mmCIF file of all heavy atoms in Angstrom:
data_model
loop_
_atom_site.group_PDB
_atom_site.id
_atom_site.type_symbol
_atom_site.label_atom_id
_atom_site.label_comp_id
_atom_site.label_asym_id
_atom_site.label_seq_id
_atom_site.Cartn_x
_atom_site.Cartn_y
_atom_site.Cartn_z
ATOM 1 N N ASN A 1032 9.590 -17.756 5.073
ATOM 2 C CA ASN A 1032 9.376 -16.953 3.867
ATOM 3 C C ASN A 1032 9.609 -17.770 2.599
ATOM 4 O O ASN A 1032 8.942 -17.549 1.585
ATOM 5 C CB ASN A 1032 10.268 -15.721 3.871
ATOM 6 C CG ASN A 1032 9.801 -14.673 4.867
ATOM 7 O OD1 ASN A 1032 8.680 -14.738 5.357
ATOM 8 N ND2 ASN A 1032 10.652 -13.719 5.182
ATOM 9 N N LEU A 1033 10.538 -18.714 2.656
ATOM 10 C CA LEU A 1033 10.724 -19.612 1.514
ATOM 11 C C LEU A 1033 9.457 -20.423 1.278
ATOM 12 O O LEU A 1033 9.074 -20.696 0.134
ATOM 13 C CB LEU A 1033 11.905 -20.557 1.768
ATOM 14 C CG LEU A 1033 13.312 -20.009 1.540
ATOM 15 C CD1 LEU A 1033 14.350 -21.085 1.849
ATOM 16 C CD2 LEU A 1033 13.496 -19.523 0.107
ATOM 17 N N GLY A 1034 8.815 -20.790 2.374
ATOM 18 C CA GLY A 1034 7.569 -21.548 2.255
ATOM 19 C C GLY A 1034 6.473 -20.736 1.586
ATOM 20 O O GLY A 1034 5.683 -21.264 0.786
ATOM 21 N N TYR A 1035 6.416 -19.426 1.891
ATOM 22 C CA TYR A 1035 5.392 -18.557 1.299
ATOM 23 C C TYR A 1035 5.551 -18.459 -0.217
ATOM 24 O O TYR A 1035 4.560 -18.348 -0.948
ATOM 25 C CB TYR A 1035 5.455 -17.153 1.910
ATOM 26 C CG TYR A 1035 4.900 -17.069 3.310
ATOM 27 C CD1 TYR A 1035 5.618 -16.417 4.318
ATOM 28 C CD2 TYR A 1035 3.683 -17.628 3.646
ATOM 29 C CE1 TYR A 1035 5.118 -16.349 5.613
ATOM 30 C CE2 TYR A 1035 3.188 -17.566 4.934
ATOM 31 C CZ TYR A 1035 3.906 -16.924 5.915
ATOM 32 O OH TYR A 1035 3.412 -16.854 7.196
ATOM 33 N N ILE A 1036 6.799 -18.487 -0.689
ATOM 34 C CA ILE A 1036 7.012 -18.351 -2.139
ATOM 35 C C ILE A 1036 7.195 -19.728 -2.793
ATOM 36 O O ILE A 1036 7.533 -19.817 -3.977
ATOM 37 C CB ILE A 1036 8.235 -17.458 -2.448
ATOM 38 C CG1 ILE A 1036 9.513 -18.047 -1.831
ATOM 39 C CG2 ILE A 1036 8.003 -16.040 -1.950
ATOM 40 C CD1 ILE A 1036 10.771 -17.278 -2.174
ATOM 41 N N ASP A 1037 6.959 -20.773 -1.988
ATOM 42 C CA ASP A 1037 7.010 -22.154 -2.490
ATOM 43 C C ASP A 1037 8.371 -22.499 -3.084
ATOM 44 O O ASP A 1037 8.471 -23.069 -4.175
ATOM 45 C CB ASP A 1037 5.906 -22.377 -3.541
ATOM 46 C CG ASP A 1037 5.643 -23.869 -3.779
ATOM 47 O OD1 ASP A 1037 5.902 -24.660 -2.865
ATOM 48 O OD2 ASP A 1037 5.199 -24.217 -4.893
ATOM 49 N N LYS A 1038 9.427 -22.134 -2.350
ATOM 50 C CA LYS A 1038 10.791 -22.443 -2.761
ATOM 51 C C LYS A 1038 11.484 -23.233 -1.654
ATOM 52 O O LYS A 1038 11.098 -23.171 -0.486
ATOM 53 C CB LYS A 1038 11.582 -21.167 -3.056
ATOM 54 C CG LYS A 1038 10.980 -20.287 -4.157
ATOM 55 C CD LYS A 1038 11.033 -20.956 -5.512
ATOM 56 C CE LYS A 1038 10.508 -20.008 -6.592
ATOM 57 N NZ LYS A 1038 10.519 -20.648 -7.939
ATOM 58 N N SER A 1039 12.535 -23.956 -2.032
ATOM 59 C CA SER A 1039 13.255 -24.791 -1.072
ATOM 60 C C SER A 1039 14.625 -24.195 -0.757
ATOM 61 O O SER A 1039 15.118 -23.310 -1.464
ATOM 62 C CB SER A 1039 13.439 -26.202 -1.635
ATOM 63 O OG SER A 1039 14.290 -26.160 -2.774
ATOM 64 N N GLU A 1040 15.232 -24.718 0.299
ATOM 65 C CA GLU A 1040 16.589 -24.284 0.656
ATOM 66 C C GLU A 1040 17.579 -24.680 -0.435
ATOM 67 O O GLU A 1040 18.538 -23.946 -0.714
ATOM 68 C CB GLU A 1040 17.004 -24.899 1.991
ATOM 69 C CG GLU A 1040 16.304 -24.304 3.200
ATOM 70 C CD GLU A 1040 16.892 -24.799 4.507
ATOM 71 O OE1 GLU A 1040 18.131 -24.718 4.660
ATOM 72 O OE2 GLU A 1040 16.123 -25.265 5.365
ATOM 73 N N ALA A 1041 17.331 -25.842 -1.052
ATOM 74 C CA ALA A 1041 18.212 -26.303 -2.128
ATOM 75 C C ALA A 1041 18.184 -25.317 -3.304
ATOM 76 O O ALA A 1041 19.232 -25.027 -3.901
ATOM 77 C CB ALA A 1041 17.777 -27.693 -2.597
ATOM 78 N N TRP A 1042 16.989 -24.794 -3.609
ATOM 79 C CA TRP A 1042 16.841 -23.794 -4.679
ATOM 80 C C TRP A 1042 17.649 -22.543 -4.362
ATOM 81 O O TRP A 1042 18.362 -22.011 -5.221
ATOM 82 C CB TRP A 1042 15.364 -23.451 -4.839
ATOM 83 C CG TRP A 1042 15.086 -22.220 -5.651
ATOM 84 C CD1 TRP A 1042 15.013 -22.136 -7.016
ATOM 85 C CD2 TRP A 1042 14.859 -20.901 -5.151
ATOM 86 N NE1 TRP A 1042 14.754 -20.839 -7.403
ATOM 87 C CE2 TRP A 1042 14.652 -20.059 -6.272
ATOM 88 C CE3 TRP A 1042 14.799 -20.343 -3.876
ATOM 89 C CZ2 TRP A 1042 14.409 -18.696 -6.148
ATOM 90 C CZ3 TRP A 1042 14.545 -18.994 -3.744
ATOM 91 C CH2 TRP A 1042 14.360 -18.178 -4.872
ATOM 92 N N LEU A 1043 17.572 -22.096 -3.125
ATOM 93 C CA LEU A 1043 18.276 -20.890 -2.711
ATOM 94 C C LEU A 1043 19.790 -21.103 -2.720
ATOM 95 O O LEU A 1043 20.557 -20.249 -3.202
ATOM 96 C CB LEU A 1043 17.814 -20.461 -1.322
ATOM 97 C CG LEU A 1043 18.473 -19.217 -0.724
ATOM 98 C CD1 LEU A 1043 18.306 -18.019 -1.651
ATOM 99 C CD2 LEU A 1043 17.887 -18.912 0.651
ATOM 100 N N LYS A 1044 20.223 -22.240 -2.217
ATOM 101 C CA LYS A 1044 21.663 -22.524 -2.164
ATOM 102 C C LYS A 1044 22.257 -22.648 -3.569
ATOM 103 O O LYS A 1044 23.417 -22.294 -3.797
ATOM 104 C CB LYS A 1044 21.913 -23.796 -1.353
ATOM 105 C CG LYS A 1044 21.672 -23.612 0.137
ATOM 106 C CD LYS A 1044 21.892 -24.894 0.920
ATOM 107 C CE LYS A 1044 21.666 -24.663 2.407
ATOM 108 N NZ LYS A 1044 21.830 -25.915 3.189
ATOM 109 N N LYS A 1045 21.443 -23.150 -4.511
ATOM 110 C CA LYS A 1045 21.919 -23.258 -5.898
ATOM 111 C C LYS A 1045 22.139 -21.866 -6.502
ATOM 112 O O LYS A 1045 23.119 -21.628 -7.214
ATOM 113 C CB LYS A 1045 20.916 -24.030 -6.747
ATOM 114 C CG LYS A 1045 21.384 -24.258 -8.190
ATOM 115 C CD LYS A 1045 20.369 -25.062 -8.967
ATOM 116 C CE LYS A 1045 20.888 -25.363 -10.380
ATOM 117 N NZ LYS A 1045 21.234 -24.157 -11.140
ATOM 118 N N ILE A 1046 21.208 -20.924 -6.182
ATOM 119 C CA ILE A 1046 21.355 -19.549 -6.661
ATOM 120 C C ILE A 1046 22.626 -18.931 -6.100
ATOM 121 O O ILE A 1046 23.382 -18.266 -6.817
ATOM 122 C CB ILE A 1046 20.121 -18.706 -6.277
ATOM 123 C CG1 ILE A 1046 18.915 -19.156 -7.088
ATOM 124 C CG2 ILE A 1046 20.387 -17.216 -6.499
ATOM 125 C CD1 ILE A 1046 17.639 -18.413 -6.748
ATOM 126 N N LEU A 1047 22.885 -19.164 -4.828
ATOM 127 C CA LEU A 1047 24.092 -18.630 -4.195
ATOM 128 C C LEU A 1047 25.340 -19.226 -4.839
ATOM 129 O O LEU A 1047 26.319 -18.519 -5.117
ATOM 130 C CB LEU A 1047 24.076 -18.923 -2.697
ATOM 131 C CG LEU A 1047 22.981 -18.234 -1.877
ATOM 132 C CD1 LEU A 1047 23.061 -18.677 -0.419
ATOM 133 C CD2 LEU A 1047 23.096 -16.723 -1.961
ATOM 134 N N LYS A 1048 25.293 -20.548 -5.097
ATOM 135 C CA LYS A 1048 26.443 -21.226 -5.696
ATOM 136 C C LYS A 1048 26.695 -20.714 -7.112
ATOM 137 O O LYS A 1048 27.848 -20.476 -7.499
ATOM 138 C CB LYS A 1048 26.188 -22.730 -5.718
ATOM 139 C CG LYS A 1048 27.374 -23.532 -6.249
ATOM 140 C CD LYS A 1048 27.084 -25.029 -6.204
ATOM 141 C CE LYS A 1048 28.269 -25.818 -6.762
ATOM 142 N NZ LYS A 1048 27.989 -27.289 -6.746
ATOM 143 N N ASP A 1049 25.614 -20.518 -7.881
ATOM 144 C CA ASP A 1049 25.756 -20.031 -9.256
ATOM 145 C C ASP A 1049 26.348 -18.629 -9.316
ATOM 146 O O ASP A 1049 26.952 -18.239 -10.325
ATOM 147 C CB ASP A 1049 24.392 -20.037 -9.957
ATOM 148 C CG ASP A 1049 23.876 -21.454 -10.209
ATOM 149 O OD1 ASP A 1049 24.686 -22.394 -10.133
ATOM 150 O OD2 ASP A 1049 22.667 -21.607 -10.458
ATOM 151 N N ASN A 1050 26.162 -17.871 -8.222
ATOM 152 C CA ASN A 1050 26.682 -16.497 -8.180
ATOM 153 C C ASN A 1050 27.930 -16.383 -7.308
ATOM 154 O O ASN A 1050 28.330 -15.266 -6.940
ATOM 155 C CB ASN A 1050 25.594 -15.557 -7.650
ATOM 156 C CG ASN A 1050 24.475 -15.350 -8.655
ATOM 157 O OD1 ASN A 1050 24.555 -14.502 -9.536
ATOM 158 N ND2 ASN A 1050 23.413 -16.147 -8.529
ATOM 159 N N ASN A 1051 28.521 -17.547 -6.981
ATOM 160 C CA ASN A 1051 29.749 -17.588 -6.174
ATOM 161 C C ASN A 1051 29.603 -16.832 -4.849
ATOM 162 O O ASN A 1051 30.462 -16.038 -4.451
ATOM 163 C CB ASN A 1051 30.931 -17.011 -6.971
ATOM 164 C CG ASN A 1051 31.249 -17.832 -8.202
ATOM 165 O OD1 ASN A 1051 31.273 -19.059 -8.142
ATOM 166 N ND2 ASN A 1051 31.478 -17.159 -9.327
ATOM 167 N N LEU A 1052 28.478 -17.095 -4.168
ATOM 168 C CA LEU A 1052 28.199 -16.432 -2.899
ATOM 169 C C LEU A 1052 28.141 -17.440 -1.766
ATOM 170 O O LEU A 1052 27.558 -18.529 -1.919
ATOM 171 C CB LEU A 1052 26.858 -15.680 -2.975
ATOM 172 C CG LEU A 1052 26.791 -14.462 -3.903
ATOM 173 C CD1 LEU A 1052 25.346 -14.002 -4.052
ATOM 174 C CD2 LEU A 1052 27.652 -13.331 -3.363
ATOM 175 N N ASP A 1053 28.771 -17.113 -0.648
ATOM 176 C CA ASP A 1053 28.673 -17.935 0.554
ATOM 177 C C ASP A 1053 27.532 -17.424 1.417
ATOM 178 O O ASP A 1053 27.376 -16.207 1.593
ATOM 179 C CB ASP A 1053 29.979 -17.886 1.353
ATOM 180 C CG ASP A 1053 31.127 -18.537 0.596
ATOM 181 O OD1 ASP A 1053 30.875 -19.513 -0.133
ATOM 182 O OD2 ASP A 1053 32.270 -18.061 0.744
ATOM 183 N N LEU A 1054 26.755 -18.352 1.946
ATOM 184 C CA LEU A 1054 25.610 -17.979 2.776
ATOM 185 C C LEU A 1054 26.021 -17.076 3.936
ATOM 186 O O LEU A 1054 25.351 -16.085 4.244
ATOM 187 C CB LEU A 1054 24.922 -19.242 3.313
ATOM 188 C CG LEU A 1054 23.733 -19.029 4.253
ATOM 189 C CD1 LEU A 1054 22.606 -18.286 3.537
ATOM 190 C CD2 LEU A 1054 23.230 -20.377 4.778
ATOM 191 N N GLU A 1055 27.158 -17.401 4.563
ATOM 192 C CA GLU A 1055 27.617 -16.652 5.733
ATOM 193 C C GLU A 1055 27.987 -15.209 5.387
ATOM 194 O O GLU A 1055 28.010 -14.342 6.270
ATOM 195 C CB GLU A 1055 28.827 -17.336 6.371
ATOM 196 C CG GLU A 1055 28.543 -18.723 6.953
ATOM 197 C CD GLU A 1055 28.427 -19.795 5.878
ATOM 198 O OE1 GLU A 1055 28.839 -19.524 4.730
ATOM 199 O OE2 GLU A 1055 27.912 -20.882 6.190
#
Side-chain angles (χ1 to χ4, degrees):
N1032 287 345
L1033 280 180
Y1035 285 132
I1036 60 176
D1037 197 26
K1038 301 293 184 181
S1039 66
E1040 288 188 51
W1042 166 83
L1043 179 56
K1044 289 179 179 178
K1045 183 178 184 303
I1046 290 178
L1047 295 177
K1048 184 178 179 181
D1049 291 344
N1050 289 275
N1051 297 316
L1052 292 170
D1053 294 326
L1054 178 62
E1055 295 76 15

